[in-house]
Structure formats: C-alpha cells, structure tokens
Amino acid sequence: DDFIIVQSTTSTQNSGLFDDLLPKFQAKTGIEVRVVAVGTGQAIKNAANGDGDVLFVHAKPAEEKFVADGDGVVRYDVMYNDFVIVGPADDPAGVAGSSDVTAALTTIAQAQAPFASRGDDSGTHKAELRLWKAAGVDAPAASGDWYRETGSGMGATLNAGTAMGAYIMTDRATWIAFGNKGDYQIAVQGDERMFNQYGIILVNPETHPGVKAELGQAFVDWVVSPEGQDAIAAYKVDGQQLFFPNAGE
Amino acid sequence: MQPDTGIIAAAMGLILSGNADLIEIVGLSLRVTLSAVILSCAIGLPLGAAVGAWRFPGRGVLAVLLNALMGLPPVVVGLAVYLMLSASGPFGPLRLLYTPTAMIIAQTILVTPIVAALTRQAIEDLQSEYGEQFASLGVGPVRRLSALLWDARVGLLTVALAGFGRAVAEVGAVMIVGGNINHVTRVMTTTIALETSKGNLQLALALGVVLLGLALVVNAAVMAVRGVSARAAHA
Amino acid sequence: MQPDTGIIAAAMGLILSGNADLIEIVGLSLRVTLSAVILSCAIGLPLGAAVGAWRFPGRGVLAVLLNALMGLPPVVVGLAVYLMLSASGPFGPLRLLYTPTAMIIAQTILVTPIVAALTRQAIEDLQSEYGEQFASLGVGPVRRLSALLWDARVGLLTVALAGFGRAVAEVGAVMIVGGNINHVTRVMTTTIALETSKGNLQLALALGVVLLGLALVVNAAVMAVRGVSARAAHA
Amino acid sequence: MRDLSDPLRPVPGSQSPAAAPILETRGLGYDAGGRVLIDGLDLTIRPCRRTVVLGANGAGKSLALRLMHGLMRPARGEVLWQGKPLDRQARAAQAMVFQRPVMLRRSVRANLRFALVVHGFAGRERALREARALEQARLTDLAHRPARVLSGGEQQRLALARALATEPRILFLDEPTASLDPASTHAVETLIDAAHAAGITIVLVTHDLGQARRLGDDVIFLHAGQVAETGPAARVLTAPSSGPARAWIDGRLYFDPTP
Amino acid sequence: MRDLSDPLRPVPGSQSPAAAPILETRGLGYDAGGRVLIDGLDLTIRPCRRTVVLGANGAGKSLALRLMHGLMRPARGEVLWQGKPLDRQARAAQAMVFQRPVMLRRSVRANLRFALVVHGFAGRERALREARALEQARLTDLAHRPARVLSGGEQQRLALARALATEPRILFLDEPTASLDPASTHAVETLIDAAHAAGITIVLVTHDLGQARRLGDDVIFLHAGQVAETGPAARVLTAPSSGPARAWIDGRLYFDPTP
Ligand SMILES: Nc1ncnc2c1ncn2[C@@H]1O[C@H](COP(=O)(O)OP(=O)(O)OP(=O)(O)O)[C@@H](O)[C@H]1O
Ligand SMILES: Nc1ncnc2c1ncn2[C@@H]1O[C@H](COP(=O)(O)OP(=O)(O)OP(=O)(O)O)[C@@H](O)[C@H]1O
Ligand SMILES: [Mg+2]
Ligand SMILES: [Mg+2]
C-alpha cells in the first residue's frame, strides 16, 4: 500500500489546497496521501500516538514541542497565509478598514460588539488569544457575554458567528473558500502580527515504528521543494492566492 | 496511553471535584435532553399510536416514513433548524438561535420520529389483541389511542428510554444550533467534542464516562418506576 | 436563504448528475451502515433475547445497562475505538485505523445496545405469552431464544430499522476512527459535516436529503418484505 | 343514554314471528387464506328472541357473529340493522362476548369502568352500574385483581358482565359458558334470561345441546360456512331435517354424502 | 427417545391402588397478589390412572396443575415425581394442554413440528408423527393455516395433538373439551382413553359432570385452594361427602357454612 496518512487541520482541507496539491504529488511519485483533517490539538495528539506519517499544522510552539518530545523528526516551515477579522456589513464597532489589529480589538471590546472565538485551543484560537493579550483585553473574562467561545472548528465558528452578527477572526484561505458569507466582509487585515505560519514534520519512526518514513519523507521533501512550493503559490480561489510558500526562508 | 482504570479514576475525580463548570454543563445537558424527550413523547406517542391503531389511507406510507426518519442525520436537522432560526430565516425575529431552546427544538425533531416509529410497532401489536374488543365496545378513535397507550405503558417506557439515549448522546445538531457557547449552550457532548478536538482525549473520555453514568442513573430511576408499575399492570 | 424547494431540486440534481464521487460516497455509506447493522443484529438480537427470556441473577441490572448504553455518545465510542486501534493502542498492529473496518466497528458498538435493548423489550412481551408453553414442552434455553426471535420477527424488523437509522445518521464516531479521508473513508454524514464547515449549507442540506432518500428506500424495501412475511406469520 | 321508553325499542314479549327483523344478513360471504369460509348466509334475527347458533368446530359460527356485529368487512353480501346498513352508531347498540375474552391490562373493576365510560356513563350512575355488574359476575371480591390473572371462568363472567353493563339492544354470546362450573353456568343462563326478559335480543353460540334447548327460541345451524338448517328450536332440536344438524345432535361427525 | 420397553414405565393396566404414586404433592401452597390461592395440597396421582380435578371457577384447579407440572415455584411444600423432587428432566416426561392454548405464530404443522423437534424427533420418524397428530386432531386439511386463525375448537384439538405427540408419561389436561362440538368431544375422549390404555397417566380438569363420570378413575375436588374431597370417582361423583362437591354436582353455589 503506497499511501501515507497526513494529520492536518481543517483550514488546509476546507480551503481546497490539498485537493489541488495532492494529485500533483501522486502523479509524480505514485504515493497516495490520505488527509485526516481535525483540530490542531487533535492532529498533534493523533500524530503523537503514531497514527499518521506526517503532521501538517499551524501552531509553531506546539509543533516545536512535538519535535522536542521526540515525536517528530524535524520541523520545516512550508508557507503562510494571514488571519483576518471579518464582520457584518453594518460594522457595529466601526473597525472596518483598519489594519491595526490591537486597536481594532480594543474598539470591539469597548463597544462590547459580539465577537465569536473558536475557543478550541486550535492554532487560530491561540493566535487570537495572543492578539487579545497584545491589545491588553481580557476577552475570555467576558465569555458568555459579548465574547462567545463556540468551542468548534473554523467552519462551524464562521457559521455561528455570521448568524450572531459577531466579529470573527479567521484565516484568509478558509474565508475565501467559505460558502456562507452572507453580508460579511473583511474588516481588519494587513497587520504583520496576523501572519499564520504552517509547518510540516515527519513523525519520528524511531519513536513510532509503524511510520512509513520513506514515503512520508518523500512528501515532506516534495512540499518544501521548489516544485511543491510553486504548486502552493499557484493555488488560487477566485483569482486570489491563498497561501504564500516560504520554505527555507 | 494510560490504562482504562485511569479514565474511570479521572471521571471519578471530575465528579468528586464538584467543579462548577462541570455542574453547569451537566445541568444544561439534562435540561435540554429531558425537555426534548418530554416534547418528543408528547408528539411521538400519540402520533405513533395513531399510525399503529387507526386505519386510514396512506397509513403504510406514513409508517415507512416514520421508520426512515429514525435515520435523520443530526447535522442536517441542525442545519435546517439553523436556517429557520437564523436572522435571515423565517423565525429569525424570535432570536432563538444559540439558545438552549434552539437545542431543544433540534433534539425534539431528531427524537420524535424514533419515539413515534417504535410506538407504532408497540401499539400495532397491542391493537391486534384489543382491536375487536374495542370495535365491539364502540370505542372512539381518540379514546382508543389513550387506552392503547396506557395499556402499553410498560413497553413504551423502553421507547422513551431509546429516545433519551439518542438525545443525551446527540452532538451534531446541538452543536450547530447551540453553537457550543461557553456558559450558554455548552453541554456534555459538545464539551466532549471540543476536548477531543483539543487533543485532550483522556479528559474527553472521562467526560464520556460521566455522561454514561448520568444516563445510567436516569435509566435506573425509570426502570425502578417501571418495576412498580409493571407489577400493577401486567400478568 | 433559498427556499426549501431549492434544496430538494439541488438534491435531485445531485442524484441525477450521477457524480462518481457521490456514488462512491453513497456506496461506502451503505456498506458501512449495513455491515454495522448486520453485526449489531447478530450480537444484539440474541443478547437482547437472552436478557428478555432467561431468568438469571443480574438480569434486571443488565436490562438497565443495555437501556443506558443506548445513550452511548458517538464521540466517546469513536475515541475509545480510536485508542484501541491507534498505533500505540493494543490493536495498533492490525492497522485498522482510518479504514472502513474501523468505522464498522465503531458503529457496531453504538448500535448493538440499541438493538439489544429494544429486542429485550419485544422478547419479554412475547415470552410472557409463550413462557409457560415453552416450559411445559421442555424447550431448552437456546431453542427458546431462536423460537422467540423467529416468532417476534415482525416487531424485530422495526428494531433493526431503528438500528439502521442510528447507524446511517451517525457522524461523530465514524469521523474520528475513519478520518473522513477522501476516497477512502468519506461517507455521506462526514461529507455533510465537511460541507457544512465549508459554509456550503445548501449543498450540505441537499446531501442530507439524498441520505434521507437512501434511508427511505432501505426502509420501504424492508417494510415490503415485512408485509409479505407478516401475512404468513401473524393473525 | 337510551332509556327504556325509547320508541324504537320493541316491547318485551312481542315475540311474534312476524315482527320485522332487528338484524338480517343477505348473501353474506367471507374469504381468508384463499378459502371461502362463509358462504351466502341469509340470516334473520328477530327482535327480542333468543337465537342459538350451532355447528361443528370450524363451521363458521364465530366468523358469522363477527360479521353480524360488523367487526369484519364481508367479502360479499351485507348486514342490515333494522333494515339499514350497519354503521358505527348501530354497533354501539350491540355488544358481544368473545369466545376468548379480551381482558385489558387493568383491574377487574377498571375493565368494567372502561366499557361504561365508553358508553357515556359517569358519576353515581357509573358507580352503581359498576357495582351491579361486579355483583352479577360474582367478582366483587376480586374487583382489584388484575383482570388477566383471573381464572378462565372468572374471565368469562367478567366479559359477560362488561357486555351487559352497556345495555345493548342485541347481545352476541360466543360460547359464554364454555369454561364455567355448573353453578356459574346456571347463573349465567339466568342472567341471559333476565336480559332477554328486559328486551335484549340474544344471539348465542353453544356446543351444549341442553343449553340450546333451555335458551333457544330459534336455531341457526351452520355447516362449512353455510346455513344447513334454520327454524324454531323446538323443531330443529327434536326433529332436525338436515344431515349436519342430525349428526351434531347425535354427537357424530358429519361427512357430506355428496363430496 | 424413550421406548415402550423402558423398565421404569409401568405396565399398562397395572392400576392397583397400591402402586407407588407417580406424582405427589406435599403441603403445596401458592400465594399471589397478597392472597393465599393454593393452600396445603396433599395430592397423590397414581400411575396409569385417570384423575379428574373438579371444583368451582377460581377454586385453583389450573394453578394446581401448573404447580404439579412445575411451571410455577410453590410458595410452600413440594412436588415429588416418582418420589424425587421435580427437575427439568422429569418435566420432559410430562405434557400439558392449557385451558387457553398457546399457539405459536406459525402454521398448524409448524406448531406440531416445533414440539416434536424439541423432543428430539427427526427425519422420517418426525414426519410420521406429524402426520399422525394432524390426523388425530382432524387438522390435516388445515395444516398450512396459521395456527392463530384457527377456530377455538380447532386450537384446542391442535393443543391436545401437540401434547400427545411428545409421548409424555403424564398428561395434564385443563378443560380440553370446553370449546369442542359434541363429535369432537367424543373423539377427544376416545383419544384420552387410548392414551390411558397406552399407559399414560391422565390428570384432567373439567366442568362436565358427564365427562368426569366417563373418564374419571380418581377424583380430586378442590374448593378455595384446598382439597375438599378425594376418592374414587365412583364414590365421589355419586355420594359426595363434602359440602362443596355436593353443591357442585347439584349445580349450586357453595357457601361455606362456617365463614
Ligand atoms: N384469517 C383466517 N384465515 C384462514 N382461515 C380462517 C381465518 N379465520 C378463520 N378461519 C377458519 O375459518 C373456520 C371458521 O372459523 P370460526 O372461528 O368461525 O369457527 P367456529 O364455528 O366458531 O368454530 P369453534 O366452534 O371451534 O369456535 C375455521 O376453520 C378457521 O380455521
Ligand atoms: N397472579 C395472580 N394474582 C392474583 N390472583 C391470581 C393470580 N393467579 C390466579 N389468581 C386467582 O387464583 C384463583 C384460582 O385460579 P385458577 O386459574 O387456578 O382457577 P380454576 O380453578 O382453574 O378456575 P376455572 O375453572 O375458572 O378455570 C382465581 O380466583 C384467580 O383469580
Ligand atoms: Mg368459535
Ligand atoms: Mg382453570
């Protein structure tokens, strides 16, 4: 069986990137890639159990811990996209057009405008918490009030948040591919602090003897190779590039 | 992985800790589930009994439909209710989305066909015994239902428990219409799903054990009542 | 939101398109669900019948337990099966994780208690009628079960259909142990969940309608068989 | 509730054979399992008389009663109640005691009460009738027992009391004393007589020749789903003209001489 | 299968009253619903004899049969089968026809076959017995009919044939002719006689005095859950010594003079 299992997150899957990338890889190597897309935490845990050959997520500190714990061989940067804050057209907090994320978050908090957070310890959630902290707002203290932790994936949080008229932080790729936008628009974007770095790690075959090291390594190598990087850059939705390759930078 | 005893111990620890969040979540779970089961029985018992006991055109089709609706996918029900209750939906002005009420509505839709389909079968069996006697006495259609439901009550308890089982374990629909919002609509199953997606598998399992314990307590209580009622009714 | 007719039309469109992916997904859904229901019946029917028909110490407790297990949360079952089948779990070497077999195992665990609990009730009712005759004839314990199961078959079809309903609608457990891998373990319910998370609500609903149509076809087929068998068996 | 001054109700004792039939069947037929089970029954039940239905096991007596009572839809022919097709209202004026009584999963008293409530009795009236019915069936001491644990004979008595309590115009009795001890049989025959005296038309199935003689005014003799013979009990039971009736009275099997 | 040369099987005709009892009860008692229903029964069933159990409705006849057959656990006392406590094997040598026959949801033939299969018959032997039993019950023509649509009398005949087909040592019959027409009653009495002649011990409940006279060797008379009188049928049925038996034979209700 020439296949490997990649533990990844919903954002890469929902954006359609894998549907574009994997056939190219398989055409070249004959290796089938099976993607299990779950929450970042769950993906890391699954990989740590040895239930995957490659881990492909966006939560750098957790990834580094994964390698340090001996579960992964080595971590490579692959690409980044950026987070954006989307909001309803009537923009209740008046933050539309801003490119200063901490200022925008402070305004939202002061206006007590509803904000939907994933609240699931995912990469996106962790990034969001970092930004609140930088803004000096203790948002989780308002949990259940204007700050609403949906405790679910990006898609579910977008579905819920748009229905609540809440601001939501999401990654651009998921947002562009998202089908239930309603009257929502991107309100805040362009702040450097909203970069979202993806990494790829081969699961350590010494700790987890079941890992198909050779095939997995082939995938990792291809993704960070110029060929893989070009494929990532070439993936567009509605004419927009979703991911920006930065391996080896 | 830790051995299973670890999970049971963790579950025990969770219960004994008397953690306020856990109590809140368990309370909401029970409230939503029991409300949905009561509503489902209020609709499903008479509905199932009518399909089981009355003769009318389309009865067979209705029976098949009820059986098929036992396979209503929770996510689909969740979505449908979401679209109804969302601000741009017909019931948007009621502002029910992301409230326990929305969760109760979704679960009621899921559980009612189960209660109705299983009730139909139970009532059909009893009707084949009572039918001629009722016809001879000239029992009217409504009283026929109530009498059959009453005399079948022992078996219908199991039906209600099947409905309870489905409701208490349900996650897909309540996640969509409730939103799993902390302190507002977070119940046991959505918490378990959340902890799972966080990779806290042990905690998720321990919560699952607590949930099962809850189901066990409810079932034991109901069966104890059944034991008493059966003694009076059966023979 | 589009009106509901749009969804039905979209569902029709999906079916008529004969999309190869859709056919694959529907096929896998049916395969997994039917396998799980058959296994659940193979275990749950005799188990439920034994609890319903035999007198042994602990029988009441077992009955309550079966009823409570109808409330097994899918995510918990999914997790437990995952931990068993995981590379670091006891059955890791079998390499069943993220295969349809794993999904069948998880669904079987979920559905078996439902089949068993409902069977217990049905068999208990029949046993109260047949019990003395069987005792008088000296029917042994095993033949007693088979005879009761056979004579209760009309009612047990509804039980099996309840199990089918639960299995076909299930998403939480199969998602965890199957991984919703495209072309490998993607079934109707996981596809619906995926499309929902992508915000493609109309498509998700249309797929839900297709799934319900599938359930309807299976139920109608089973009930047609039941009609024939009932004519021969009942009176 | 109907009362005894109901103008439609024939005066007790008006047993003239010329009285218009209370119930008639015309070419009644019933099939099941691919067989003709009831075939062309033309029966006439005259008001305020006691008609005894006789015949071998499987002759179709119980089916005939069910058809007359409107519990089954005939495959052919029709049942006329006072000249008009049977409807739900007509059936409310009828009662039947089944060969195998159906006991609700309730107490003896609740079984009686159910029938009374269905027939619209309430309050003191219902309580009175309940008590009287229990007394008639000699079940007062067992009133709180679950009906389904009663002995065979007790169940049969309860079923009769339940049917009588609804004050029917016509009472169908399917072997009502089959499981009764001699004293209860006697008591039930007395009850039937009293009901008859109060103007209730009786249609009785029995296998007991003595009972047929004691209670029968008219006899309908069925054989293989058809009428073999009808006529006044005095004649049919002493000088039967048909082969089946003769054989039955002699306790012999009847084989059709023209197969 | 047991065969007729079984040494334990008493020789037919060995009806000496001194023969060791095949079944005895000692101080048998049974309670339900908070009442004593069976109270201190000391009964002796002698092998190869026909014991008739009589008593008013609700006297406890059916309960007594069930206790003797081991279908219910007595509250007090015990049942001895050939001097030893009843066990499952002993019950396999017994058969019973219930007052209200239980028909499996299967065809007439399948009902018979089930009993035969349970008793270990197979192949040609089973087919032969099946055919003979259908013949005995005069149900050959109805063999493919669902048993539960049979008429009351047909069901009773099937139940008897099913019990006989298993070749029991003892046969409990609870009012086996209650719903039978005269010819079938006669046929069933002949069958019972034949079974008795073949060495099967008979215990028969009936409300038919004539039948008790025709079939009874010994009589057990029950009243209110207790033994009122026992003895040879010839004596008890002509010169009963107890009040209840006298009243029963006269078709009167018996009221205990010492309440
Ligand atoms: N649904 C059915 N399918 C096939 N045969 C049936 C059905 N219902 C009744 N029968 C047959 O019709 C015949 C007449 O039945 P019915 O119950 O009327 O007999 P009966 O005269 O009342 O006999 P009994 O004296 O034994 O009560 C029987 O032979 C019975 O087997
Ligand atoms: N489980 C029970 N609970 C309460 N009372 C019961 C129960 N079972 C039987 N009885 C009562 O026990 C008495 C004896 O019943 P049994 O069936 O033995 O009577 P029987 O002598 O066979 O009468 P019959 O001639 O009417 O068949 C009846 O009065 C009946 O109501
Ligand atoms: Mg009959
Ligand atoms: Mg009895």
Side-chain angles (χ1 to χ4, degrees), chain D residues 42-251:
Chain D
D42 293 305
L43 300 176
T44 305
I45 308 294
R46 288 182 294 162
C48 300
R49 289 183 62 98
R50 297 165 303 180
T51 304
V52 174
V53 181
L54 302 175
N57 291 134
K61 305 179 296 297
S62 298
L63 286 179
L65 248 56
R66 282 193 171 86
L67 287 166
M68 287 195 266
H69 191 23
L71 296 181
M72 301 189 314
R73 194 189 303 273
R76 293 170 297 283
E78 56 177 349
V79 178
L80 298 180
W81 171 252
Q82 297 181 318
K84 290 187 289 284
L86 254 186
D87 57 10
R88 194 160 168 261
Q89 214 188 335
R91 203 165 57 208
Q94 309 182 339
M96 176 153 166
V97 174
F98 290 88
Q99 188 168 2
R100 197 162 171 162
V102 178
M103 299 282 115
L104 305 189
R105 286 163 176 75
R106 307 177 182 198
S107 71
V108 169
R109 182 187 296 280
N111 264 275
L112 284 170
R113 182 171 301 168
F114 181 77
L116 288 167
V117 168
V118 166
H119 278 259
F121 295 101
R124 250 185 77 74
E125 173 73 7
R126 196 194 66 203
L128 265 169
R129 280 168 190 271
E130 214 173 277
R132 200 173 61 204
L134 283 171
E135 200 54 50
Q136 279 180 341
R138 290 189 294 113
L139 291 171
T140 310
D141 290 349
L142 312 185
H144 293 291
R145 219 168 264 195
R148 294 163 71 87
V149 306
L150 291 184
S151 80
E154 289 163 350
Q155 290 196 5
Q156 227 166 12
R157 286 185 336 226
L158 173 55
L160 178 65
R162 186 169 60 184
L164 276 174
T166 64
E167 288 212 328
R169 297 281 301 278
I170 191 170
L171 184 57
F172 296 103
L173 300 168
D174 201 349
E175 306 189 25
T177 61
S179 316
L180 297 188
D181 63 45
S184 295
T185 302
H186 182 73
V188 162
E189 289 184 3
T190 310
L191 271 179
I192 295 173
D193 264 338
H196 169 236
I200 299 178
T201 306
I202 306 285
V203 180
L204 169 78
V205 174
T206 185
H207 287 302
D208 181 341
L209 180 58
Q211 185 166 72
R213 290 215 166 98
R214 286 190 296 275
L215 295 183
D217 297 321
D218 299 329
V219 165
I220 295 171
F221 199 97
L222 297 182
H223 177 69
Q226 299 182 318
V227 176
E229 184 167 358
T230 61
R235 190 194 48 75
V236 177
L237 297 180
T238 48
S241 62
S242 66
R246 220 174 298 131
W248 187 88
I249 290 168
D250 296 351

Side-chain angles (χ1 to χ4, degrees), chain E residues 50-124:
Chain E
R50 298 165 303 181
T51 305
V52 173
V53 181
L54 302 176
N57 291 134
K61 305 179 296 296
S62 298
L63 286 178
L65 249 57
R66 283 193 170 86
L67 287 166
M68 288 195 265
H69 191 22
L71 297 181
M72 302 189 317
R73 193 189 302 274
R76 293 168 299 282
E78 56 177 349
V79 178
L80 299 180
W81 172 253
Q82 296 180 320
K84 289 188 287 286
L86 253 187
D87 56 11
R88 198 161 164 261
Q89 215 190 335
R91 202 164 57 209
Q94 310 182 338
M96 176 152 166
V97 174
F98 290 87
Q99 187 168 2
R100 195 163 173 162
V102 178
M103 300 282 115
L104 305 189
R105 286 164 177 73
R106 305 175 184 201
S107 72
V108 169
R109 182 187 295 282
N111 265 274
L112 283 170
R113 181 171 301 168
F114 182 76
L116 288 167
V117 168
V118 167
H119 277 259
F121 296 102
R124 251 185 75 74

Side-chain angles (χ1 to χ4, degrees), chain B residues 1 4 7 201 204-205, chain C residues 72-86 89-91 97 105-106 109 173 176-177:
Chain B
M1 286 295 108
D4 285 356
I7 289 156
L201 307 192
L205 272 183
Chain C
L72 265 182
V75 176
V76 172
V77 170
L79 271 182
V81 173
Y82 164 79
L83 291 175
M84 289 293 129
L85 301 185
S86 148
F91 300 106
L97 199 62
I105 293 172
I109 293 174
I176 293 176
V177 302

Side-chain angles (χ1 to χ4, degrees), chain A residues 70-125:
Chain A
D71 288 317
V73 179
V74 52
R75 176 186 177 282
Y76 301 95
D77 277 338
V78 178
M79 62 193 187
Y80 69 90
N81 67 353
D82 61 339
F83 292 117
V84 296
I85 292 174
V86 297
D90 61 9
D91 190 27
V95 294
S98 164
S99 59
D100 179 345
V101 65
T102 48
L105 286 179
T106 310
T107 315
I108 288 170
Q110 273 162 1
Q112 307 223 332
F115 186 97
S117 165
R118 284 180 61 170
D120 64 350
D121 275 359
S122 59
T124 307
H125 182 225

Side-chain angles (χ1 to χ4, degrees), chain E residues 159-180:
Chain E
L160 177 65
R162 186 169 63 184
L164 275 174
T166 64
E167 288 211 326
R169 298 280 303 277
I170 191 170
L171 183 57
F172 296 102
L173 301 168
D174 201 348
E175 307 188 25
T177 62
S179 314
L180 297 188

